[in-house]
Amino acid sequence: MAVDEKLASVYADVLERNPGEHEFHQAVREVLESIGPAVAKHPQYVDAKIVPRICEPERQIIFRVPWEDDDGNIHINRAFRVEFNSALGPFKGGLRFHPSVLLGTIKFLGFEQVFKNALTGLPIGGGKGGSDFDPKGRSDREIMRFCQSFMTELHRHIGEYTDVPAGDTGVGTREVGYLFGQYKRITNRYESGVLTGKGLIYGGAQIRTEATGYGTAVFANEMLLSRGSSLDGKTVTVSGSGNVAIYAMEKARQLGAHVVACSDSSGSIYDKDGIDIELVKELKEVWRARIDQYVATRTKARFEPGAQVWGIPCDVAMPCATQNELTGKDAHRLIKNGCVAVAEGANMPTTPEGVQAFLDAGVAFGPGKAANAGGVATSALEMQQNASRDSWSFRHSQQRLEEIMRGIHARCLETADEYGMPGNYVAGANIAAYTRVADAMLALGLI
Ligand code: NDP
Ligand code: 2IT
């Protein structure tokens, strides 16, 4: 798809002013390709230069993180917090620790987050942060020292009314605990709402751990229900085996699906009897092991080094590992093998060619900013509980999460219909989110 004529110069500007940041360019392009009809319908957005303002982060912070390993060696990492847009609420979004992280990575994630958060209907702006720190193989003490050093700088930029980080790749409950401990120590404030994804014992919310994956499977089910089918009895493949992948598999199974494959960056496993999700949890959450260890216990399963899951026939695919992990070629293979629905648990896991192939083939395609919004939505519920010094039951939290996911699904479909692109969740999500952010920005004056 092409970028609308009115928006072409905005996109050219983004390319020129953010050189080399390909993932950021890709994320912006996808939104600009979708929102042409909304911009045409609302000339006030053009007059107020809403689109160029949305493409420029409100604030970008880059800092040094020095830390010492267990042998006394000194390491220097680079860290970022991109506070992208606060029209709808405090900046909100996760922290990623992965060696591939660059400023452009965090900008793409922050940009996506603005729209995702708007789609939830909750009062949260968008931001993202992280570091090129590699947690693999590091001891608990090393992780703690890194988190403490990271927070020693980050603390001055965040706050429950300002910017509220959470987890993402490489950052889970353990890391959020160390980050919160250091924030509390420096500021002398038990400010629970400054971070989400906390442990249950000190202000965390029920179902936050499960929320992204659960929400992704619920979204897949909603897409199928709207087409007269459901996840029940469907064969599902999932990429990754981290937080999002594990709980996407768990909810898919609860909804009656047969999950046969998952992966990590070393390769993929195929278990035709159904993935033993408890085993994957233990391997990944307790032992922090590589995925090939799965076949040591489940001897009939197959591990393929270096392989992805996309060659395995399935009805529903859920990419839950990382950006651009599902290419046009992978998409064509999935379509040929009978895949009817794709729900993105990861952020931007499908390349533009892949997305186009799915849309052209009529596959129900749920983009990450809609399908994986359950995580951040539950973070907003955690903020709500912290603000009222309350804690809700698992059952109530699960009900809220499912309502929110159904609401997002309906909003995407209705918007796609309204703009004459029935069934196109990409257009629906981008337009619905864009108009919400744009209306808030207009109301707040030139900000
Ligand atoms: P985790 O760190 O828990 O797990 C990440 C998984 O993806 C691991 O299996 C990892 O394999 C694999 N992976 C990560 N990077 C790469 C890479 N470059 N190449 C191949 N495999 C890779 O992260 P999450 O599950 O939390 O996040 C996964 C995705 O979901 C990300 O895109 C994230 O932005 C998105 N997301 C996360 C949310 C959350 O609440 N956590 C919310 C919404 C979206 P290995 O261990 O071998 O590196
Ligand atoms: O990409 C995402 O939505 C997240 N990593 C979750 C962010 C959050 O603030 O819970």
Side-chain angles (χ1 to χ4, degrees):
M1 234 167 116
V3 173
D4 187 271
E5 209 178 293
K6 282 200 193 67
L7 300 174
S9 68
V10 180
Y11 185 60
D13 244 29
V14 168
L15 293 183
E16 197 184 321
R17 300 181 69 217
N18 304 277
E21 296 178 345
H22 305 296
E23 291 160 338
F24 178 51
H25 302 163
Q26 182 184 334
V28 170
R29 186 178 174 99
E30 188 214 275
V31 169
L32 297 192
E33 280 175 355
S34 294
I35 62 172
V39 173
K41 200 167 166 181
H42 302 276
Q44 69 274 31
Y45 295 163
V46 181
D47 298 341
K49 289 213 176 328
I50 296 289
V51 184
R53 279 200 270 152
I54 279 187
C55 293
E56 183 70 19
E58 286 182 33
R59 187 180 297 119
Q60 305 182 56
I61 301 148
I62 306 181
F63 55 101
R64 177 174 72 196
V65 186
W67 60 282
E68 214 174 296
D69 68 23
D70 288 343
D71 299 322
N73 302 309
I74 290 173
H75 300 262
I76 315 291
N77 283 100
R78 184 176 295 170
F80 311 92
R81 185 72 187 167
V82 175
E83 299 182 333
F84 224 110
N85 195 303
S86 62
L88 290 171
F91 303 106
K92 181 81 197 88
L95 298 169
R96 175 176 292 192
F97 293 170
H98 194 274
S100 63
V101 165
L102 297 167
L103 177 62
T105 323
I106 301 299
K107 277 163 77 177
F108 118 64
L109 290 163
F111 184 80
E112 291 280 295
Q113 198 81 45
V114 173
F115 296 88
K116 183 195 305 191
N117 295 4
L119 264 184
T120 66
L122 297 164
I124 40 178
K128 200 86 186 190
S131 172
D132 57 6
F133 171 67
D134 186 358
K136 275 204 191 74
R138 290 293 171 196
S139 70
D140 245 25
R141 314 287 297 172
E142 289 174 324
I143 299 286
M144 182 183 76
R145 284 196 292 276
F146 179 81
C147 289
Q148 290 180 338
S149 182
F150 181 87
M151 186 52 87
T152 300
E153 171 58 31
L154 187 70
H155 85 276
R156 62 186 101 250
H157 307 290
I158 61 176
E160 66 176 310
Y161 296 108
T162 312
D163 182 355
V164 183
D168 192 78
T169 303
V171 178
T173 314
R174 172 181 64 168
E175 290 73 18
V176 171
Y178 295 147
L179 292 165
F180 183 65
Q182 185 73 349
Y183 181 84
K184 189 177 78 60
R185 186 180 181 202
I186 295 174
T187 59
N188 194 29
R189 283 164 67 85
Y190 206 110
E191 189 188 335
S192 305
V194 70
L195 286 167
T196 62
K198 298 182 294 296
L200 291 180
I201 202 161
Y202 64 92
Q206 294 283 355
I207 220 170
R208 176 62 191 86
T209 302
E210 297 86 350
T212 310
Y214 274 21
T216 303
V218 167
F219 196 92
N221 197 43
E222 286 298 309
M223 293 196 297
L224 291 167
L225 286 171
S226 77
R227 294 173 177 217
S229 160
S230 79
L231 265 182
D232 194 20
K234 297 284 186 299
T235 298
V236 171
T237 58
V238 172
S239 64
S241 50
N243 173 264
V244 179
I246 286 174
Y247 294 98
M249 293 196 282
E250 187 166 282
K251 180 53 82 179
R253 188 178 60 184
Q254 285 171 16
L255 292 167
H258 185 58
V259 185
V260 296
C262 67
S263 65
D264 69 12
S265 61
S266 69
S268 61
I269 52 170
Y270 172 68
D271 190 337
K272 73 171 177 359
D273 298 330
I275 294 285
D276 181 343
I277 301 165
E278 286 65 39
L279 176 59
V280 176
K281 261 192 214 178
E282 192 183 329
L283 288 173
K284 288 294 176 180
E285 293 180 348
V286 182
W287 301 110
R288 298 181 190 273
R290 309 309 297 152
I291 201 69
D292 62 340
Q293 291 306 304
Y294 182 90
V295 296
T297 307
R298 297 272 288 189
T299 50
K300 282 195 200 144
R302 208 175 67 217
F303 169 68
E304 233 188 290
Q308 288 182 297
V309 297
W310 314 129
I312 299 164
C314 66
D315 303 307
V316 179
M318 296 198 275
C320 296
T322 194
Q323 62 273 13
N324 291 326
E325 55 166 320
L326 198 167
T327 64
K329 208 169 140 201
D330 298 325
H332 286 296
R333 208 150 147 213
L334 281 163
I335 295 162
K336 194 164 144 252
N337 284 336
C339 175
V340 293
V342 176
E344 293 188 324
N347 285 309
M348 209 171 75
T350 312
T351 64
E353 298 73 28
V355 175
Q356 199 56 53
F358 288 134
L359 294 179
D360 290 346
V363 169
F365 178 78
K369 56 172 85 71
N372 73 36
V376 76
T378 307
S379 278
L381 303 183
E382 185 172 332
M383 291 162 71
Q384 234 179 81
Q385 289 165 78
N386 292 152
S388 57
R389 301 188 184 280
D390 197 0
S391 108
W392 305 345
S393 69
F394 189 89
R395 197 154 158 242
H396 176 65
S397 311
Q398 173 148 275
Q399 255 168 18
R400 290 284 284 123
L401 169 63
E402 289 180 7
E403 271 164 29
I404 290 169
M405 293 315 296
R406 281 197 288 271
I408 294 172
H409 176 267
R411 208 163 296 139
C412 292
L413 268 193
E414 283 158 16
T415 310
D417 269 352
E418 186 188 332
Y419 284 85
M421 289 171 276
N424 184 334
Y425 292 91
V426 176
N430 285 332
I431 295 175
Y434 168 74
T435 49
R436 197 166 137 80
V437 179
D439 287 342
M441 288 178 75
L442 273 180
L444 297 181
L446 186 52
I447 55 161

